[in-house]
mmCIF file of all heavy atoms in Angstrom:
data_model
loop_
_atom_site.group_PDB
_atom_site.id
_atom_site.type_symbol
_atom_site.label_atom_id
_atom_site.label_comp_id
_atom_site.label_asym_id
_atom_site.label_seq_id
_atom_site.Cartn_x
_atom_site.Cartn_y
_atom_site.Cartn_z
ATOM 1 N N ASN V 88 11.815 -12.349 10.989
ATOM 2 C CA ASN V 88 12.254 -12.899 9.706
ATOM 3 C C ASN V 88 12.102 -11.929 8.543
ATOM 4 O O ASN V 88 12.460 -12.263 7.426
ATOM 5 C CB ASN V 88 11.477 -14.182 9.402
ATOM 6 C CG ASN V 88 11.770 -15.259 10.411
ATOM 7 O OD1 ASN V 88 12.922 -15.500 10.740
ATOM 8 N ND2 ASN V 88 10.729 -15.881 10.935
ATOM 9 N N GLY V 89 11.543 -10.759 8.796
ATOM 10 C CA GLY V 89 11.403 -9.774 7.731
ATOM 11 C C GLY V 89 9.989 -9.250 7.598
ATOM 12 O O GLY V 89 9.218 -9.247 8.551
ATOM 13 N N MET V 90 9.666 -8.821 6.383
ATOM 14 C CA MET V 90 8.392 -8.184 6.100
ATOM 15 C C MET V 90 7.686 -8.919 4.973
ATOM 16 O O MET V 90 8.331 -9.464 4.071
ATOM 17 C CB MET V 90 8.632 -6.727 5.686
ATOM 18 C CG MET V 90 7.373 -5.956 5.351
ATOM 19 S SD MET V 90 7.723 -4.247 4.933
ATOM 20 C CE MET V 90 8.049 -3.592 6.565
ATOM 21 N N ALA V 91 6.350 -8.904 5.010
ATOM 22 C CA ALA V 91 5.541 -9.511 3.952
ATOM 23 C C ALA V 91 4.397 -8.576 3.607
ATOM 24 O O ALA V 91 3.636 -8.173 4.488
ATOM 25 C CB ALA V 91 4.990 -10.859 4.402
ATOM 26 N N LEU V 92 4.297 -8.203 2.333
ATOM 27 C CA LEU V 92 3.149 -7.432 1.874
ATOM 28 C C LEU V 92 1.912 -8.310 1.921
ATOM 29 O O LEU V 92 1.984 -9.518 1.660
ATOM 30 C CB LEU V 92 3.373 -6.933 0.442
ATOM 31 C CG LEU V 92 4.443 -5.865 0.262
ATOM 32 C CD1 LEU V 92 4.678 -5.593 -1.220
ATOM 33 C CD2 LEU V 92 4.043 -4.590 0.984
ATOM 34 N N ILE V 93 0.779 -7.706 2.245
ATOM 35 C CA ILE V 93 -0.478 -8.443 2.335
ATOM 36 C C ILE V 93 -1.286 -8.189 1.065
ATOM 37 O O ILE V 93 -1.461 -7.046 0.646
ATOM 38 C CB ILE V 93 -1.296 -7.985 3.563
ATOM 39 C CG1 ILE V 93 -0.460 -8.060 4.841
ATOM 40 C CG2 ILE V 93 -2.588 -8.784 3.682
ATOM 41 C CD1 ILE V 93 0.036 -9.435 5.197
ATOM 42 N N GLY V 94 -1.743 -9.265 0.449
ATOM 43 C CA GLY V 94 -2.533 -9.153 -0.773
ATOM 44 C C GLY V 94 -3.454 -10.344 -0.930
ATOM 45 O O GLY V 94 -3.409 -11.289 -0.142
ATOM 46 N N PRO V 95 -4.295 -10.317 -1.951
ATOM 47 C CA PRO V 95 -5.226 -11.432 -2.172
ATOM 48 C C PRO V 95 -4.478 -12.684 -2.625
ATOM 49 O O PRO V 95 -3.395 -12.596 -3.209
ATOM 50 C CB PRO V 95 -6.149 -10.905 -3.278
ATOM 51 C CG PRO V 95 -5.311 -9.923 -4.017
ATOM 52 C CD PRO V 95 -4.416 -9.283 -2.986
ATOM 53 N N ASP V 96 -5.067 -13.844 -2.361
ATOM 54 C CA ASP V 96 -4.421 -15.094 -2.777
ATOM 55 C C ASP V 96 -4.793 -15.512 -4.197
ATOM 56 O O ASP V 96 -4.339 -16.534 -4.685
ATOM 57 C CB ASP V 96 -4.681 -16.211 -1.774
ATOM 58 C CG ASP V 96 -6.138 -16.653 -1.713
ATOM 59 O OD1 ASP V 96 -6.983 -16.018 -2.371
ATOM 60 O OD2 ASP V 96 -6.431 -17.623 -1.005
ATOM 61 N N LYS V 97 -5.634 -14.707 -4.855
ATOM 62 C CA LYS V 97 -5.923 -14.903 -6.275
ATOM 63 C C LYS V 97 -6.153 -13.527 -6.891
ATOM 64 O O LYS V 97 -6.389 -12.541 -6.183
ATOM 65 C CB LYS V 97 -7.121 -15.819 -6.509
ATOM 66 C CG LYS V 97 -8.438 -15.250 -6.030
ATOM 67 C CD LYS V 97 -9.574 -16.211 -6.343
ATOM 68 C CE LYS V 97 -10.907 -15.595 -5.977
ATOM 69 N NZ LYS V 97 -12.020 -16.474 -6.327
ATOM 70 N N GLU V 98 -6.069 -13.450 -8.194
ATOM 71 C CA GLU V 98 -6.259 -12.188 -8.909
ATOM 72 C C GLU V 98 -7.660 -11.651 -8.648
ATOM 73 O O GLU V 98 -8.654 -12.381 -8.774
ATOM 74 C CB GLU V 98 -6.047 -12.413 -10.404
ATOM 75 C CG GLU V 98 -5.981 -11.166 -11.220
ATOM 76 C CD GLU V 98 -4.689 -10.379 -11.084
ATOM 77 O OE1 GLU V 98 -3.689 -10.905 -10.546
ATOM 78 O OE2 GLU V 98 -4.680 -9.223 -11.524
ATOM 79 N N MET V 99 -7.730 -10.369 -8.274
ATOM 80 C CA MET V 99 -9.006 -9.732 -7.980
ATOM 81 C C MET V 99 -9.152 -8.472 -8.840
ATOM 82 O O MET V 99 -8.157 -7.896 -9.269
ATOM 83 C CB MET V 99 -9.087 -9.324 -6.502
ATOM 84 C CG MET V 99 -9.027 -10.493 -5.527
ATOM 85 S SD MET V 99 -10.421 -11.610 -5.637
ATOM 86 C CE MET V 99 -11.750 -10.565 -5.113
ATOM 87 N N LYS V 100 -10.392 -8.050 -9.043
ATOM 88 C CA LYS V 100 -10.667 -6.811 -9.762
ATOM 89 C C LYS V 100 -10.094 -5.645 -8.953
ATOM 90 O O LYS V 100 -10.308 -5.556 -7.740
ATOM 91 C CB LYS V 100 -12.173 -6.632 -9.960
ATOM 92 C CG LYS V 100 -12.550 -5.381 -10.698
ATOM 93 C CD LYS V 100 -14.060 -5.281 -10.851
ATOM 94 C CE LYS V 100 -14.422 -3.940 -11.468
ATOM 95 N NZ LYS V 100 -15.875 -3.764 -11.506
ATOM 96 N N LEU V 101 -9.372 -4.758 -9.650
ATOM 97 C CA LEU V 101 -8.799 -3.598 -8.981
ATOM 98 C C LEU V 101 -9.901 -2.719 -8.391
ATOM 99 O O LEU V 101 -10.939 -2.521 -9.020
ATOM 100 C CB LEU V 101 -7.933 -2.792 -9.944
ATOM 101 C CG LEU V 101 -6.714 -3.529 -10.483
ATOM 102 C CD1 LEU V 101 -5.951 -2.653 -11.459
ATOM 103 C CD2 LEU V 101 -5.817 -4.023 -9.376
ATOM 104 N N GLY V 102 -9.675 -2.239 -7.185
ATOM 105 C CA GLY V 102 -10.652 -1.422 -6.497
ATOM 106 C C GLY V 102 -11.638 -2.218 -5.658
ATOM 107 O O GLY V 102 -12.433 -1.629 -4.924
ATOM 108 N N SER V 103 -11.580 -3.549 -5.747
ATOM 109 C CA SER V 103 -12.497 -4.371 -4.958
ATOM 110 C C SER V 103 -12.361 -4.024 -3.481
ATOM 111 O O SER V 103 -11.262 -3.799 -2.968
ATOM 112 C CB SER V 103 -12.197 -5.866 -5.139
ATOM 113 O OG SER V 103 -12.479 -6.280 -6.448
#
Side-chain angles (χ1 to χ4, degrees):
N88 296 314
M90 179 178 285
L92 291 173
I93 307 299
D96 67 354
K97 66 178 185 177
E98 190 74 14
M99 297 295 295
K100 180 180 174 186
L101 297 178
S103 293

